[in-house]
Amino acid sequence: MISSSKLKSVDFYRKIPRDLTEASLSGAGLSIVAALAMVFLFGMELSSYLAVNTTTSVIVDRSSDGEFLRIDFNISFPALSCEFASVDVSDVLGTNRLNITKTVRKYSIDRNFVPTGSEFHPGPIPTVNKHGDDVEEDHVDGAFSLSSHNFDSFSHQYPVLVVNFYAPWCYWSNRLKPSWEKTAKIMRERYDPEMDGRILLGKVDCTEEVDLCRRHHIQGYPSIRVFRKGSDIKENQGHHDHESYYGERDTESLVAAMETYVANIPKALALEDKSNKTVDPAKRPAPMASGCRIEGFVRVKRVPGSVVISARSGSHSFDPSQINVSHYVTQFSFGKRLSPRMLHEFIRLTPYLRGYHDRLAGQSYTVKHGEVNANVTIEHYLQVVKTELVTQRFSKELKVLEEYEYTAHSNLVHSFYVPVVKFHFEPSPMQVLVTEVPRSFSHFITNVCAIIGGVFTVAGILDSIFHNTLRMVKKVELGKNI
């Protein structure tokens, strides 16, 4: 057995009898200052322990997304109609996809970005196989020429008014003209406007009636619109409710389509349709406004490429000076969409990258059309870099999330062609790796002990110096200087 006296000999903290110690006001003040210093330094150390510490490095892209990259977008075009708006994708490997509709939605909007109806379903790019009669015969004008002065009276007078909005310089309009005039003549003979009056075919020259065509949001030529009495008299925010015709353009197909329009309109003097043909007139709702909001996503290969939004049709012509691709970007981002919680975690770990994952969001690109600013294409050049966040908590490397950042440079280009919006993207072969390195608890405890011991020791040294100095001063004053 080890005696208690031997154990006491190893005591590091030997006690001084209380009656031999002396308290002083200076010591009390210094003790208070030391205590406050300990508390302050402890708080600083705790804050440092709880703070996020990260290291950043650039490595070769080791993406787990495979060879494809997702692009989410929400873009508003106040002057581009949903009728012809097309989302196309191309890349340097030769991929060329036109008019993507499966993952893209369109909504008609007015010039103030206010929606004017439900989702617009335009279907595939308008294409026509039969553009007109193969043999152009001598014809007499059968369609009524309409203008802004008489258009409303005709549309309110006849149950069905079918109008061909055309441009004399348009190749497709000239191919349609013989068939349209012949069809109008046949329908006038079958349904006399004065005796029967169920249907009337008209035409509008958009080079002469610019305001009338703009009012009906005509952006491609020829555009065939079907106006129905009753629905067209009432206007919604100044826009007529009508349909577009995208069927074949030969005389036989046009006549059959016109017959379907009047089939449900009763009339005692209706002539019999001897063809006994039923045909799908390929009707679709016409745009209710001049603008379009396009949203959705596309999947592209991880190589340089472009997302192009433009007016496209296989059987219509466009006047480049009348196409305005001004737009407002609500969203344009790469990669998987982050949940609000993951986005908060991303901002917490990388506050200096905040906003770069959707760099174009909230940006507006406006072109005021005129003789000087006509035919303006807007191009965006995007440099895309992947950022991967990982943590090393619990001695394990754990992936937190992946995000794509990009820088954007935009430019307005004058062109002789139909204006478009191009988003050129170039994924980087490198990626940024941000690693969260938490501080160990043992390191935190060690620093806390060092703070307490260091402050206590320094305070003791200062107190001893101050106390001895006072004693020397008192000895000098009493004449007992050694």
Side-chain angles (χ1 to χ4, degrees), residues 359-360 365 378-383 406-412 422-424:
R359 189 66 171 171
L360 292 177
Y365 303 89
I378 303 177
E379 298 186 353
H380 305 280
Y381 298 89
L382 314 178
Q383 295 284 340
Y406 66 89
T407 58
H409 303 277
S410 303
N411 190 28
L412 277 64
K422 295 182 180 180
F423 295 88
H424 303 280

Side-chain angles (χ1 to χ4, degrees), residues 98-148:
L98 304 178
N99 194 36
I100 299 174
T101 58
K102 187 176 181 180
T103 58
V104 176
R105 299 177 301 276
K106 302 175 185 177
Y107 300 89
S108 293
I109 60 175
D110 60 19
R111 293 185 177 274
N112 297 318
F113 303 100
V114 178
T116 59
S118 58
E119 183 177 351
F120 185 82
H121 298 279
I125 297 176
T127 56
V128 177
N129 295 321
K130 300 177 181 178
H131 296 279
D133 297 335
D134 295 334
V135 179
E136 182 176 343
E137 302 176 356
D138 294 335
H139 60 272
V140 179
D141 290 348
F144 282 88
S145 294
L146 303 178
S147 65
S148 56

Side-chain angles (χ1 to χ4, degrees), residues 128-287:
V128 177
N129 295 321
K130 300 177 181 178
H131 296 279
D133 297 335
D134 295 334
V135 179
E136 182 176 343
E137 302 176 356
D138 294 335
H139 60 272
V140 179
D141 290 348
F144 282 88
S145 294
L146 303 178
S147 65
S148 56
H149 301 289
N150 61 9
F151 188 91
D152 289 338
S153 62
F154 275 95
S155 64
H156 297 165
Q157 179 180 355
Y158 294 93
V160 178
L161 174 64
V162 188
V163 182
N164 171 26
F165 294 88
Y166 70 96
W169 53 262
C170 172
Y171 169 77
W172 302 113
S173 295
N174 291 327
R175 289 197 62 178
L176 172 65
K177 182 177 180 180
S179 300
W180 186 256
E181 299 295 345
K182 187 176 181 180
T183 301
K185 182 178 180 182
I186 293 174
M187 299 307 293
R188 288 179 64 179
E189 292 174 353
R190 293 187 183 182
Y191 306 94
D192 188 296
E194 297 186 7
M195 300 296 296
D196 188 301
R198 283 188 287 175
I199 187 172
L200 182 71
L201 273 67
K203 58 185 178 182
V204 175
D205 183 351
C206 287
T207 60
E208 298 291 338
E209 300 293 334
V210 177
D211 292 336
L212 178 60
C213 293
R214 184 179 293 114
R215 192 177 81 184
H216 293 287
H217 321 301
I218 305 301
Q219 294 186 355
Y221 311 108
S223 290
I224 301 176
R225 298 283 197 261
V226 182
F227 298 85
R228 298 181 184 275
K229 183 179 179 181
S231 63
D232 297 323
I233 295 177
K234 300 177 182 179
E235 295 186 353
N236 179 18
Q237 299 181 2
H239 304 300
H240 289 287
D241 179 19
H242 51 271
E243 301 167 351
S244 293
Y245 171 82
Y246 293 120
E248 304 297 346
R249 296 176 180 175
D250 61 291
T251 301
E252 183 180 5
S253 299
L254 287 170
V255 171
M258 299 306 122
E259 289 290 352
T260 61
Y261 295 147
V262 299
N264 297 325
I265 301 177
K267 184 67 178 179
L269 299 178
L271 299 178
E272 180 182 359
D273 180 14
K274 298 180 180 180
S275 63
N276 294 325
K277 286 182 64 177
T278 58
V279 65
D280 180 10
K283 297 178 298 180
R284 299 176 193 159

